[in-house]
Amino acid sequence: MSHNDRPEVGSPTTPPAAEAGDKPLQRLVSLGGGHGLFATLRAGRTIADHVTAVVTVADDGGSSGRMRRELDCLPPGDLRMALAALTQDSDEGRFWEEVIQHRFGGQGALNGHAVGNFLITGISQVLGDDIAALDTLAKMLGVRGRVLPMSTEPLDLEADVLGLAKDPRESVQVRGQVAVATTIGEVRRVRVHPANPPAAAPAVAAIKDADLITLGPGSWFSSVIPHLLVPGIVEALNESEAPTVVVLNLVAEAGETAGFSQEHHVHMLHQHARDLNVDYMLIDQSTMPGGTLGTHIERAAASMGAELICADVREDDNRGRWTDRHKPKKLAAALADIAAKHRAG
């Protein structure tokens, strides 16, 4: 049964006309996955009237992996995280965020599963439409925006990794998002299977209709770069009149980017999407090196057509010590400044 055969219970949630335009941006689109996307969406909901999350669909671990294998569905975990990030900043919004993020305990088959994962997959099975299911749940949660998969096909991630064989120069193929994220070797390139997957049409439309687009932060090879392996997403990014901002990670991650410099992160992005045009790259001022290394990062950004923007976007622990997370309030201010700068020309 298709969504067209049912009442329209899951239409995209849009702001009331009286509230439209009361924030610096009308439409923000954020691409990513996991905790990195969560921070960007939390920032975005404070500066944009309508936020669309475009989410990776290659997760094969934990609750998402189990449901994917048993039910042949899109992995719901990152989609659930994005919905949670976009719940309203109110008592009711925080309640629903807690509900969909809640994980069952115990020793049985439900252990580790998140309530939101069941809601996404269950509504999808009832409606016969993954995107209608996400729109329906967003409406139930009071989300002013949309959460969309980058592709309507679940994908598998594969990486070429050095350092796993006896000969350190030999490249070994590692399959699966969890395996890529936790490898002890050096990831050189990633692919998705099936290759050249179709982009979700609503995601393409949202990108083309955006006022500002963000990519990252997040797990570089398993949450950020996979978007650039979907040809329709890259084409939409290049065709959109909205500026694209790459938000660089604060630190290298154990596993897939261990030992990577900021410059190396940019080079990996460029290697996987030679034709991608980026307008800005946002780097936290505490991670911006001086001297020659800083010049190298600026040149790497310029190779993708981007201007490097340095700002304070890092969270601290209230004791003057930096964390490895972006602070949504600071990130929101930096993105609003970039949008204003771009409008001013």
Side-chain angles (χ1 to χ4, degrees):
M1 180 179 293
S2 72
H3 179 53
N4 293 332
D5 298 322
R6 290 184 170 272
E8 191 175 355
V9 295
S11 57
T13 305
T14 56
E19 298 178 8
D22 62 349
K23 294 180 179 178
L25 291 168
Q26 290 187 356
R27 295 187 176 272
L28 171 70
V29 175
S30 293
L31 287 70
H35 294 284
L37 180 61
F38 188 95
T40 309
L41 296 175
R42 273 289 152 91
R45 72 178 186 178
T46 68
I47 60 170
D49 290 310
H50 189 281
V51 182
T52 299
V54 179
V55 185
T56 53
V57 286
D59 191 5
D60 64 352
S63 172
S64 289
R66 289 158 62 189
M67 293 183 70
R68 177 177 173 173
R69 289 187 292 273
E70 293 176 20
L71 301 174
D72 190 27
C73 62
L74 288 178
D78 283 349
L79 298 165
R80 181 201 78 244
M81 286 276 287
L83 284 167
L86 290 175
T87 53
Q88 295 183 24
D89 186 13
S90 64
D91 289 342
E92 184 177 5
R94 285 184 284 274
F95 167 75
W96 284 115
E97 178 189 353
E98 184 177 357
V99 168
I100 65 172
Q101 294 282 56
H102 177 74
R103 290 186 183 273
F104 294 105
Q107 304 299 319
L110 292 181
N111 176 259
H113 279 298
V115 171
N117 289 359
F118 288 140
L119 286 172
I120 292 169
T121 305
I123 295 172
S124 178
Q125 289 186 349
V126 170
L127 296 179
D129 187 324
D130 292 318
I131 291 174
L134 290 164
D135 286 339
T136 299
L137 188 51
K139 187 174 183 179
M140 289 170 56
L141 298 173
V143 168
R144 283 179 27 177
R146 300 186 82 179
V147 172
L148 301 168
M150 66 179 186
S151 175
T152 53
E153 292 187 17
L155 305 176
D156 289 314
L157 198 62
E158 181 181 79
D160 295 332
V161 182
L162 297 179
L164 300 181
K166 290 183 179 180
D167 183 347
R169 298 167 298 178
E170 181 181 346
S171 177
V172 175
Q173 292 183 348
V174 172
R175 185 76 174 256
Q177 184 269 335
V178 172
V180 173
T182 58
T183 183
I184 60 173
E186 179 186 350
V187 179
R188 300 305 299 270
R189 179 172 280 278
V190 291
R191 294 173 291 278
V192 291
H193 294 280
N196 300 319
V204 170
I207 290 169
K208 291 182 178 181
D209 195 38
D211 298 307
L212 185 73
I213 303 163
T214 67
L215 176 64
S219 299
W220 215 238
F221 287 109
S222 51
S223 291
V224 177
I225 288 177
H227 288 85
L228 308 182
L229 305 179
V230 181
I233 296 293
V234 176
E235 291 171 6
L237 289 170
N238 286 338
E239 292 174 7
S240 177
E241 295 183 1
T244 298
V245 183
V246 170
V247 183
L248 293 172
N249 287 348
L250 297 168
V251 296
E253 288 190 288
E256 61 182 75
T257 58
F260 277 29
S261 65
Q262 295 281 24
E263 180 188 1
H264 199 171
H265 279 79
V266 177
H267 283 317
M268 285 293 102
L269 204 67
H270 194 196
Q271 177 180 309
H272 285 83
R274 293 286 184 185
D275 297 329
L276 177 65
N277 297 316
V278 175
D279 297 281
Y280 304 97
M281 287 194 180
L282 178 60
I283 185 171
D284 178 72
Q285 63 187 26
S286 71
T287 66
M288 178 67 181
T292 303
L293 292 178
T295 301
H296 288 168
I297 296 174
E298 291 177 348
R299 287 176 178 172
S303 71
M304 299 189 72
E307 177 184 348
L308 190 67
I309 302 292
C310 186
D312 175 16
V313 292
R314 196 168 190 170
E315 184 179 69
D316 63 57
D317 62 359
N318 296 320
R319 297 179 182 178
R321 295 177 297 191
W322 296 120
T323 72
D324 295 338
R325 298 183 298 272
H326 287 78
K327 186 171 185 175
K329 185 176 181 179
K330 292 181 177 180
L331 184 56
L335 292 175
D337 287 346
I338 290 173
K341 172 185 174 67
H342 191 79
R343 285 195 299 268

